Amino acid sequence: MINFDNVSKVYPDGTVAVDGLTLQAPTGKLTILIGPSGCGKTTSMRMINRLIEPSSGVISLDGTDTQSLNRVDLRRRIGYVIQNAGLFPHRTIVDNVAAMPRLLGTPKREARANAMELLERVGLNEKFANRYPWQLSGGQQQRVGVARALATDPPFLLMDEPFSAVDPIVRAQLQEEFLRLQREIGKTIVMVTHDIDEALKLGDQVAVLREGGHLAQVASPAHLLAHPADAFVADFVGTARGYRALGFVTADGTLGVDREPTVRVGDDAATATVGADGWALAVDESNIPQGWVQLGRLNGAQITESDINISGTVAKEFGNLRDMLNSALSSPSGRGVVVDERGVLVGTVSAEAIVAAIRTAKQEVLAS
Ligand SMILES: Nc1ncnc2c1ncn2[C@@H]1O[C@H](COP(=O)(O)OP(=O)(O)OP(=O)(O)O)[C@@H](O)[C@H]1O
Ligand SMILES: [Mg+2]
């Protein structure tokens, strides 16, 4: 656990960057720091590994005051990932990852072998190992940054906007991969982000800071959305908080999933079964949904790939109600497509059924 006990930072020019911060980052969990620019997120994070010294208060790691540790020992226990990866430009990727263990005395062969393994873990195969940072895309560099921070197998990880320098698609991919990795490694992580959706998606708990380094609220993502402590937090989690909150409500057995007749590419449109509205769901030979076909429009021809409308999304059977609603809203037929863990069709669900489930869930949340 990382513990902040009444920690403040006043810079020499008198700027109060952090003011009386008391906060716990629990072991094995991911704690997010979020708040407006200049509210003291980076300062708070850098005080943990003493890149910045607190003016007052105590920061401890698993009960040990960081001031009682020497900085080398301290930093050996804390991996650090910064924005834009911050790689050494004149070293190869594998040497970037192996640099810290080498510095701490790990023999070269061993350090490189470990580095190769870590690169594999963050999704980079050996062909990247001997390249230089400038020969990698932004997203690949971010992965190297994560591998490098993990190289000494530290129990603690600090990440300052680690995914911010990449486009939204790569970003979502890195977030998913990182969540998977964290499920395996279970590090105690403090991560700074500007992005509320990233905070809600990744955080076990989210700490919202306000100007002047004051903690406004710390809570789980679902709690933060349902019970913002004040107008500042409510505003910060955004006007879409009702919709975002649905991401934390799981669809249970009470959501009525209907059987849906299906068609396949090659079927004769004239004899195919079709819903009352003329839309039919196309599946492949494994019963995995491909999209919707408007049969009335085909004039009795055979169904081809190009007849399939792929605009609809699919939702997992026991997934969240936001994905369910999104599936219904994005579907040209108005019916949301529900699949099992393997992506195989379970059935469809109407927007009305989802809204009814949302009402029930809402009453349960309000009652709790
Ligand atoms: N070395 C310094 N000397 C004086 N003031 C500083 C120094 N470093 C940061 N500050 C100030 O301290 C406050 C907090 O800065 P910090 O970098 O922690 O903010 P942040 O929340 O990380 O912001 P951002 O979201 O823009 O990265 C800001 O007002 C900043 O201008
Ligand atoms: Mg910052």
Side-chain angles (χ1 to χ4, degrees):
M1 180 165 89
I2 301 172
N3 192 53
F4 285 81
D5 185 11
N6 201 19
V7 174
S8 298
K9 175 65 188 181
V10 184
Y11 283 108
D13 67 355
T15 305
V16 180
V18 178
D19 191 9
L21 179 65
T22 294
L23 177 70
Q24 281 88 40
T27 302
K29 303 281 189 215
L30 205 164
T31 298
I32 299 270
L33 301 182
I34 193 165
S37 188
C39 72
K41 303 181 292 294
T42 298
T43 303
S44 298
M45 168 170 278
R46 290 183 157 205
M47 286 193 289
I48 299 170
N49 62 2
R50 292 178 57 196
L51 283 170
I52 294 172
E53 293 288 357
S55 308
S56 61
V58 176
I59 300 177
S60 55
L61 298 184
D62 293 337
T64 308
D65 184 345
T66 52
Q67 293 295 329
S68 71
L69 298 166
N70 79 45
R71 286 185 210 198
V72 177
D73 287 340
L74 180 65
R75 288 184 201 152
R76 193 183 309 193
R77 297 174 64 188
I78 306 175
Y80 188 36
V81 186
I82 58 172
Q83 197 175 357
N84 295 317
L87 303 177
F88 307 120
H90 304 299
R91 291 196 195 175
T92 61
I93 296 308
V94 63
D95 285 338
N96 260 281
V97 178
M100 194 60 184
R102 287 283 294 132
L103 213 62
L104 295 169
T106 309
K108 188 164 184 173
R109 280 178 71 122
E110 192 187 326
R112 287 185 133 236
N114 288 341
M116 295 301 280
E117 227 177 273
L118 273 171
L119 286 171
E120 192 77 47
R121 272 201 117 154
V122 297
L124 296 173
N125 63 30
E126 72 265 24
K127 81 169 194 235
F128 292 101
N130 291 313
R131 292 199 197 167
Y132 288 88
W134 57 271
Q135 294 169 309
L136 265 58
S137 72
Q140 289 161 348
Q141 289 183 36
Q142 292 300 113
R143 289 189 169 97
V144 179
V146 172
R148 190 176 60 171
L150 293 172
T152 54
D153 196 23
F156 304 100
L157 206 54
L158 309 181
M159 308 180 84
D160 199 348
E161 308 210 23
F163 309 128
S164 63
V166 291
D167 67 71
I169 292 180
V170 172
R171 185 178 188 139
Q173 221 174 343
L174 290 176
Q175 290 168 347
E176 289 296 334
E177 285 172 12
F178 187 73
L179 274 179
R180 218 172 301 139
L181 185 65
Q182 167 64 356
R183 275 197 283 272
E184 287 171 32
I185 60 180
K187 302 285 184 194
T188 304
I189 304 174
V190 177
M191 181 189 286
V192 168
T193 180
H194 262 108
D195 177 351
I196 186 67
D197 284 311
E198 180 165 278
L200 298 171
K201 179 172 172 185
L202 299 184
D204 292 304
Q205 63 169 9
V206 178
V208 183
L209 302 180
R210 70 167 94 222
E211 200 75 28
H214 296 280
L215 180 64
Q217 187 174 10
V218 54
S220 70
H223 190 87
L224 205 62
L225 288 162
H227 307 283
D230 56 26
F232 171 80
V233 178
D235 194 41
F236 205 84
V237 294
T239 48
R241 56 187 179 271
Y243 182 66
R244 285 176 171 135
L246 288 179
F248 299 96
V249 184
T250 309
D252 58 16
T254 61
L255 184 63
V257 178
D258 304 316
R259 242 195 99 252
E260 180 73 35
T262 56
V263 296
R264 289 192 197 173
V265 168
D267 282 0
D268 187 341
T271 59
T273 6
V274 57
D277 55 1
W279 286 99
L281 184 64
V283 293
D284 70 4
E285 46 301 329
S286 311
N287 219 23
I288 290 175
Q290 306 294 294
W292 292 91
V293 182
Q294 199 169 17
L295 287 171
R297 288 266 183 98
L298 300 184
N299 300 322
Q302 272 197 338
I303 296 168
T304 65
E305 291 276 355
S306 61
D307 296 323
I308 300 176
N309 178 320
I310 58 166
S311 63
T313 61
V314 298
K316 288 265 162 62
E317 194 176 5
F318 300 107
N320 65 66
L321 290 178
R322 185 175 64 177
D323 289 350
M324 290 277 181
L325 185 60
N326 196 41
S327 175
L329 295 178
S330 64
S331 162
S333 73
R335 300 193 287 284
V337 178
V338 180
V339 297
D340 68 13
E341 275 308 313
R342 296 161 302 156
V344 173
L345 179 67
V346 175
T348 55
V349 62
S350 67
E352 290 76 10
I354 302 165
V355 170
I358 292 169
R359 282 216 187 89
T360 313
K362 193 122 195 126
Q363 275 153 11
E364 276 163 20
V365 168
L366 290 177
S368 71

